[in-house]
Amino acid sequence: MQNNGVVFKGDLEGLIIILHDEFDFSVIKDELKSKFIQAGDFFDDDMIVRIKLGRRHLSLKEKKELIKIFKNQNGISVIEFINNDNRFVDSKEEGDTLLIKRTVRSGQTIRFEGNIVIRGDVNPGAEIVAGGDIVIMGYFRGIGHAGAKGDVDATISAFRLEPAQLRIANCITRAPDIPVNSPDTPEIAFLKEKHIIIDHL
Amino acid sequence: MGKCIVITSGKGGVGKTTTSANLGTGLAKLGKRVVLIDADIGLRNLDVVLGLENRIVYDIVDVVEGNCRLEQALIKDKRYSSLCLLPAAQTRDKTAVNPDQMKELCEKLKKDFDYIVIDSPAGIEQGFKNAIAGADRALVVTTPEVSAVRDADRIIGMLEAEGLYDPELIINRVRIDMMNRGDMMNIEDMIEILAIKLLGVVPEDEKIVISTNKGEPVVLSDSSQSGEAFWNITRRLEGEEIPLISLEEGMLDRFKRIVGLR
């Protein structure tokens, strides 16, 4: 039962119950019930409860089911549902991302401290340098440097990965002299023990 | 108001001047008033390809510096009176003209001509910047070689940076036999990389050499494949929808050629 799909937190205003949005609604419901059983008579005074739903959207029926659980519990008076409408990951955690909506051509360089996403091709002679990851939604035939500030976990992925040269952190690799037939599938390059590995995405 | 078209490539020797001469002549053949500008100051060629070299008195630098009036420097073509050439200076270099002067020149010419065709020099330096300064539309010439395609890609990027979006592509010196054998980059691969509209494909043709040496643009001869290709490109420039000619020589054509009908 220790799913941690339900987390209780307190602050000055009252109780915050976080219902993690990755879990199934029925799992959340069961966990919530058992948590209340454990809590017993903890909720004695009139307590304001705020429920954080994350990205989960509840139907009216589901909301009523939750309210029913709360009503069975003594001491809880006001319930507020809080939806986190920001569907994107906090950019401070993952780093900012630059989106380029065009073909990057020979002689052009794209440099950015965070991640770079290119919706287009990167042609031979073009250079993409990112502090974070690089994602190319098209052909990647240029030079790519991910994790340019030393992030060894950075990756370079492309719908078609046919680069002249790949660099991740301080490691470097180049295309073989004899052209290989690269697969018609997306691929990802990442660093493993100081070697750049290319795998299916 | 006329339209100003620049013909450029980045790499040298891919056929910018030949293309300029043929498209300019072709447009004049369609009855348009055309002025060809040779922007390759110091290495002028367009006058030779058109067979007009011995008529040059004033050139583009003279116009810009005010040594003559614009009309004095324009050389009338031998074949079409609606075609003019503004030749480059041979004794100066690219720095003799700047982009602003070029822009002004194009604006002036637009009033009197339907088309201004600018033959750009190779490279990406000032000569190129001068050539594209006044242009409304750009044609990029390339050949089926990795180096030429790479340069074309660079040029397309630079054109876009200068606000000349949607340039169109002319693939020159195509040898269909080599392409079929896989010894030459094929057209689909080139378009896939460059990702711009294809305006036409010109086959490699020894008649080009002959016509260049004679100063007679090949577009005027009815019997050459390259001339036909340039003629089709000219008409596409004017907005006509013409399918790309099949470069594969059919059996019948080959037979006709052997017996001398073509």
Side-chain angles (χ1 to χ4, degrees):
Chain A
M1 206 56 220
Q2 280 306 316
N3 290 326
N4 286 332
V6 177
V7 176
F8 283 29
K9 271 188 184 172
D11 70 358
L12 290 171
E13 284 178 58
L15 181 71
I16 301 166
I17 301 176
I18 300 164
L19 305 180
H20 278 286
D21 50 20
E22 289 98 334
F23 290 82
D24 202 64
F25 183 68
S26 60
V27 177
I28 294 282
K29 225 168 59 180
D30 290 341
E31 205 179 336
L32 190 65
K33 277 180 194 162
S34 72
K35 279 251 166 113
F36 275 141
I37 291 163
Q38 281 170 28
D41 287 325
F42 175 75
F43 309 101
D44 45 9
D45 291 313
D46 279 359
M47 201 176 254
I48 296 169
V49 175
R50 281 164 294 157
I51 301 165
K52 285 200 172 173
L53 298 168
R55 279 175 285 177
R56 185 195 299 279
H57 284 277
L58 293 178
S59 66
L60 193 64
K61 190 176 157 250
E62 287 169 327
K63 275 188 183 171
K64 279 182 176 165
E65 279 179 62
L66 281 182
I67 290 167
K68 208 175 146 194
I69 298 169
F70 284 101
K71 275 187 175 162
N72 290 335
Q73 187 67 29
N74 290 327
I76 292 173
S77 57
V78 185
I79 301 168
E80 190 186 348
F81 289 97
I82 300 167
N83 248 105
N84 179 13
D85 259 335
N86 182 9
R87 267 176 244 178
F88 304 100
V89 189
D90 190 353
S91 65
K92 272 171 200 145
E93 277 171 36
E94 293 283 321
D96 289 337
T97 297
L98 176 71
L99 174 65
I100 305 276
K101 291 182 231 174
R102 61 177 168 89
T103 301
V104 185
R105 299 184 181 276
S106 176
Q108 295 175 333
T109 304
I110 309 286
R111 269 173 199 279
F112 190 64
E113 297 216 346
N115 308 309
I116 298 178
V117 177
I118 313 254
R119 206 180 71 198
D121 296 339
V122 177
N123 283 350
E127 205 179 38
I128 312 293
V129 182
D133 288 10
I134 297 172
V135 178
I136 315 290
M137 302 173 82
Y139 276 92
F140 185 29
R141 294 184 170 122
I143 295 172
H145 191 176
K149 286 165 145 188
D151 180 6
V152 291
D153 294 323
T155 62
I156 301 173
S157 42
F159 282 179
R160 298 290 180 274
L161 195 61
E162 297 170 7
Q165 207 179 82
L166 288 180
R167 303 171 195 163
I168 295 176
N170 58 356
C171 294
I172 185 165
T173 187
R174 64 172 173 85
D177 287 327
I178 305 149
V180 285
N181 286 329
S182 52
D184 278 344
T185 52
E187 291 180 291
I188 183 164
F190 52 89
L191 206 55
K192 196 175 180 185
E193 286 149 14
K194 298 214 162 183
H195 291 286
I196 294 176
I197 313 277
I198 294 176
D199 202 353
H200 292 288
L201 190 63
Chain B
M1 278 298 263
K3 266 182 262 170
C4 188
I5 302 173
V6 62
I7 295 175
T8 186
S9 72
K11 194 177 180 296
V14 296
K16 284 180 295 298
T17 302
T18 308
T19 305
S20 304
N22 280 292
L23 297 192
T25 308
L27 286 165
K29 193 176 162 185
L30 280 174
K32 302 287 162 190
R33 292 167 300 163
V34 184
V35 58
L36 280 160
I37 302 180
D38 190 348
D40 203 350
I41 301 168
L43 291 165
R44 76 171 172 219
N45 283 152
L46 190 53
D47 51 323
V48 182
V49 176
L50 289 166
L52 301 172
E53 58 180 317
N54 50 18
R55 303 177 188 212
I56 297 174
V57 180
Y58 296 111
D59 55 51
I60 189 167
V61 175
D62 290 319
V63 175
V64 167
E65 289 181 348
N67 299 334
C68 69
R69 281 178 290 111
L70 177 55
E71 304 80 66
Q72 287 178 300
L74 294 176
I75 300 165
K76 216 166 233 150
D77 184 57
K78 299 182 214 175
R79 296 147 289 245
Y80 293 100
S81 60
S82 64
L83 177 66
C84 285
L85 170 72
L86 180 59
Q90 185 68 338
T91 54
R92 305 289 290 275
D93 62 33
K94 312 286 191 267
T95 55
V97 176
N98 68 42
D100 287 336
Q101 291 168 328
M102 211 47 200
K103 221 180 264 179
E104 203 189 313
L105 191 63
C106 291
E107 288 306 318
K108 255 190 229 166
L109 287 167
K110 272 185 196 175
K111 287 176 195 145
D112 297 324
F113 291 90
D114 299 316
Y115 281 99
I116 299 148
V117 179
I118 303 172
D119 180 23
S120 156
I124 55 173
E125 294 81 16
Q126 181 157 0
F128 165 74
K129 292 195 172 120
N130 284 341
I132 65 168
D136 313 306
R137 188 173 173 183
L139 306 186
V140 176
V141 183
T142 190
T143 60
E145 286 161 77
V146 179
S147 51
V149 172
R150 180 75 61 93
D151 290 358
D153 190 45
R154 177 95 169 100
I155 286 296
I156 295 164
M158 296 189 78
L159 288 169
E160 283 170 357
E162 296 288 331
L164 275 169
Y165 299 104
D166 304 320
E168 289 151 289
L169 186 68
I170 294 172
I171 304 176
N172 196 12
R173 311 190 70 166
V174 168
R175 288 185 56 181
I176 199 68
D177 52 331
M178 286 183 76
M179 249 177 210
N180 288 343
R181 284 202 304 270
D183 293 337
M184 199 175 238
M185 284 185 91
N186 72 46
I187 291 163
E188 289 78 35
D189 288 350
M190 295 171 73
I191 291 169
E192 198 230 285
I193 288 187
L194 297 175
I196 59 172
K197 189 186 157 200
L198 179 67
L199 194 65
V201 175
V202 183
E204 172 96 354
D205 189 351
E206 57 185 29
K207 290 206 172 100
I208 293 279
V209 182
I210 301 166
S211 86
T212 301
N213 292 343
K214 281 208 293 198
E216 288 267 345
V218 75
V219 73
L220 299 174
S221 80
D222 298 324
S223 61
S224 70
Q225 273 200 318
S226 56
E228 195 186 338
F230 278 123
W231 179 234
N232 285 341
I233 293 170
T234 307
R235 287 158 66 200
R236 282 187 205 113
L237 266 181
E238 262 288 283
E240 272 186 65
E241 291 282 336
I242 299 158
L244 289 168
I245 45 167
S246 167
L247 292 165
E248 257 169 296
E249 205 180 12
M251 281 302 283
L252 187 64
D253 292 334
R254 199 168 296 169
F255 176 71
K256 275 188 191 164
R257 195 173 51 140
I258 290 164
V259 300
L261 285 170
R262 270 189 70 160

